[in-house]
Amino acid sequence: MSNPIALIGRAGTYLLLSLAAFVSIFPFFWMVVGASNTSADIIRGKGTPGGALWDNIVKFVNSFDMVRVLFNSFLLAGLGTVLTLLVASMAGYGFEMFRSRFREKVFGGLLLMLSIPFAALMIPLFMLMAQLKIINTYQAVLLPSIASIFIIFYFRQATKAFPSELRDAAKIDGLKEWQIFLYVYMPVMRSTYAAATIIVFMANWNSYLWPLIVLQTNEMKTLTLAVATLAAGYTPDFGVIMVGAIAATLPTLIIFFLLQRRFVEGMLGAVK
């Protein structure tokens, strides 16, 4: 017979995991159900699907230039992700592979900058962008986020597991440093790149405060900003807002599920 104490412990574990799963899934469930109901139904707390889904979708699409908004979002998120991964991985590679007596001091200074809240940087950054005359442009959104200190730190820590023998062998074969990085390092660290892609893409896609400050016309707004404007009126249509929330959530879910296996490997520091 099984130990009663072990059975109780196992049942408690499953109960806690089930509760955690419910708490995690319920907001998405409520969002999907809300998208099919009218605003009045949502205010009353109706928890079952309704028949207003198509009407809410039509209202959402007609609220702004959907093609332009999606183009802005995918361009900023996609290009920002590629540039961030490139810059951060090069920096992480350099910090780990090249020796210098000032290396740790510089790296420590970068990590110290993580303690500075973004609210303290907004005004100086905005003044800098204004002086460069790039307010209300894609460059103004992308430039401050490309050199992500956290992603640099992540790549440096992951690079510690990179076999130094591969680099030495590549040098013996006559490869230059940029060729080693491009043809040896990047393929070997693909799990790390996959995990970082999810993190950076989600951050860029969901970015709200900085784009809100520097993007000043409707033609430049992203999907996140567009959805936020739906709730800015005196009588917001919560059904339409729920549709917008689903539209803003789906791309990040798709990216995560496509790279899920690589994400786990990358977070565990796997090198193949």
Side-chain angles (χ1 to χ4, degrees):
M1 294 180 64
S2 300
N3 189 343
I5 297 179
L7 289 176
I8 293 174
R10 185 178 302 175
T13 300
Y14 284 129
L15 179 62
L16 289 176
L17 291 175
S18 299
L19 181 61
F22 173 78
V23 171
S24 301
I25 296 174
F26 181 77
F28 189 76
F29 168 77
W30 181 258
M31 183 170 60
V32 173
V33 171
S36 66
N37 286 311
T38 64
S39 185
D41 291 333
I42 296 173
I43 294 174
R44 287 199 302 267
K46 182 182 177 184
T48 56
L53 177 61
W54 181 250
D55 291 337
N56 290 333
I57 293 175
V58 172
K59 291 178 183 178
F60 173 71
V61 172
N62 292 334
S63 297
F64 35 76
D65 188 349
M66 177 62 68
V67 175
R68 179 69 184 188
V69 166
L70 288 176
F71 173 79
N72 293 338
S73 295
F74 279 108
L75 177 66
L76 289 173
L79 186 59
T81 299
V82 172
L83 293 175
T84 301
L85 292 181
L86 180 61
V87 172
S89 61
M90 291 175 64
Y93 177 87
F95 272 117
E96 187 59 29
M97 293 299 179
F98 298 105
R99 305 291 176 179
S100 170
R101 61 175 180 171
F102 298 110
R103 180 183 66 171
E104 298 302 327
K105 293 181 179 179
V106 173
F107 190 70
L110 285 177
L111 295 182
L112 187 62
M113 292 176 63
L114 283 174
S115 63
I116 303 176
F118 182 72
L121 302 175
M122 287 190 302
I123 295 177
L125 276 176
F126 184 84
M127 294 175 64
L128 176 62
M129 298 303 160
Q131 291 176 356
L132 294 174
K133 301 185 187 303
I134 57 174
I135 294 295
N136 199 43
T137 64
Y138 297 129
Q139 298 93 306
V141 179
L142 292 173
L143 286 176
S145 63
I146 290 176
S148 171
I149 299 174
F150 172 75
I151 302 300
I152 292 174
F153 169 77
Y154 173 71
F155 268 102
R156 188 194 176 181
Q157 295 304 113
T159 304
K160 293 181 183 296
F162 180 75
S164 59
E165 295 82 4
L166 291 178
R167 182 168 177 255
D168 296 337
K171 283 189 172 182
I172 293 174
D173 290 338
L175 269 67
K176 297 180 180 179
E177 201 65 51
W178 69 269
Q179 293 173 315
I180 296 174
F181 177 83
L182 188 62
Y183 300 119
V184 180
Y185 176 82
M186 292 183 71
V188 170
M189 304 297 290
R190 58 183 179 273
S191 296
T192 302
Y193 276 96
T197 297
I198 295 175
I199 297 171
V200 177
F201 183 85
M202 290 180 65
N204 288 334
W205 181 268
N206 295 322
S207 181
Y208 174 76
L209 184 57
W210 181 242
L212 178 66
I213 295 172
V214 295
L215 299 179
Q216 300 178 345
T217 61
N218 292 330
E219 291 76 16
M220 296 298 296
K221 290 190 180 300
T222 62
L223 183 60
T224 304
L225 297 179
V227 173
T229 60
L230 297 175
Y234 290 105
T235 56
D237 192 328
F238 293 107
V240 178
I241 294 174
M242 294 297 181
V243 172
I246 293 174
T249 304
L250 283 178
T252 57
L253 287 178
I254 293 172
I255 291 293
F256 177 79
F257 285 120
L258 287 176
L259 300 176
Q260 183 178 14
R261 185 171 65 87
R262 295 293 184 188
F263 176 77
V264 175
E265 293 176 355
M267 295 306 293
L268 293 176
V271 174
K272 293 185 178 180

